[in-house]
Amino acid sequence: MAAPMIELEQVAKRYGAEAALDGVSLQIPRGQFVALVGPSGAGKTTLLKTLNRLIEPDAGRIRIDGHEVHEGPAYALRRRIGYVFQEIGLFPHLTVGQNIAVTPKLLGWDKARIAARVETLLGLVDLPPAMAGRLPAELSGGQRQRVGVARALAAEPATVLMDEPLGALDPVTRDTLGADYRALHERLGLTTVMVTHDMAEAVLLADRLVVLSSGRIVGDGAPAALLAETQDPDVRALLEAPRRQAERLRARLDGARP
């Protein structure tokens, strides 16, 4: 059996008396799309950020692609992992093309390779080539987030971490960009770990849901299988939320018809 792309063994993190992660063990195969879900304060973002050492765990081991994440400096690890987050964080004084090129430049790529990569990525995220010369302030929220995805993919990472990447977008843009990223995940053979509070988004995009509560994994599996098998009432309520919302929405829309 091939080694997992991401592996956590008994990872723990405390903030004072509070356990943000309480002995979490998890294996994610190469190419899988995993959504981390659960209530606020469950430990989702803490878990995600331990993978690229934005948060250092107090205990446990983490391996990515067979390598201990603490084997080298944190900045070298982060250059090998794509990271997309809700605030996007584009540099306002740099053009779109320059924002995308930040990590390749740090890695010492030559100008021709960087220019080709920027052009390719703009196409992948469905933005026109002329967008490369614009500043972030000239873009819509959806366009900025597409640039954020392009920047995360710039150095050709095998793993992408996403922290509420679509939460600030309007519903139509959110749906479109989510579907487009899922297509990129498949096309590029990525391993993706996404934190989201939107259960419908998690069910639609992810191959697997990992449910956290109080720093522990309380549910883990494909959406339909997890719903069928879980004995935890809180996990079941969480998984059934999209169905309940869809039923209420259908009832409201049917009631509005003449």
Side-chain angles (χ1 to χ4, degrees), residues 19-78:
L21 295 175
D22 189 6
V24 170
S25 294
L26 178 67
Q27 294 188 351
I28 299 175
R30 185 182 302 272
Q32 194 168 67
F33 193 132
V34 173
L36 304 179
V37 298
S40 296
K44 303 182 296 296
T45 294
T46 298
L47 190 158
L48 190 81
K49 289 183 176 180
T50 63
L51 300 181
N52 65 355
R53 295 182 59 186
L54 286 174
I55 291 176
E56 299 284 4
D58 299 325
R61 301 175 67 183
I62 301 172
R63 287 182 286 273
I64 295 182
D65 201 11
H67 300 286
E68 300 277 349
V69 298
H70 287 86
E71 283 182 352
Y75 68 81
L77 172 72
R78 291 174 197 146

Side-chain angles (χ1 to χ4, degrees), residues 169-248:
L169 302 176
D170 67 86
V172 173
T173 302
R174 182 173 186 155
D175 182 62
T176 301
L177 186 52
D180 286 351
Y181 178 79
R182 175 69 211 207
L184 279 177
H185 167 91
E186 297 285 350
R187 178 176 175 178
L188 301 177
L190 301 171
T191 303
T192 299
V193 184
M194 178 182 71
V195 168
T196 180
H197 284 91
D198 188 322
M199 283 303 302
E201 181 175 86
V203 169
L204 288 170
L205 296 181
D207 305 310
R208 174 183 174 192
L209 306 181
V210 174
V211 187
L212 286 101
S213 179
S214 300
R216 297 182 178 182
I217 295 176
V218 295
D220 183 359
L226 188 56
L227 179 59
E229 296 168 5
T230 184
Q231 301 299 312
D232 188 310
D234 293 332
V235 174
R236 177 169 294 279
L238 193 69
L239 294 172
E240 288 180 341
R243 181 181 298 167
R244 294 195 303 270
Q245 291 171 340
E247 290 171 351
R248 292 201 303 271

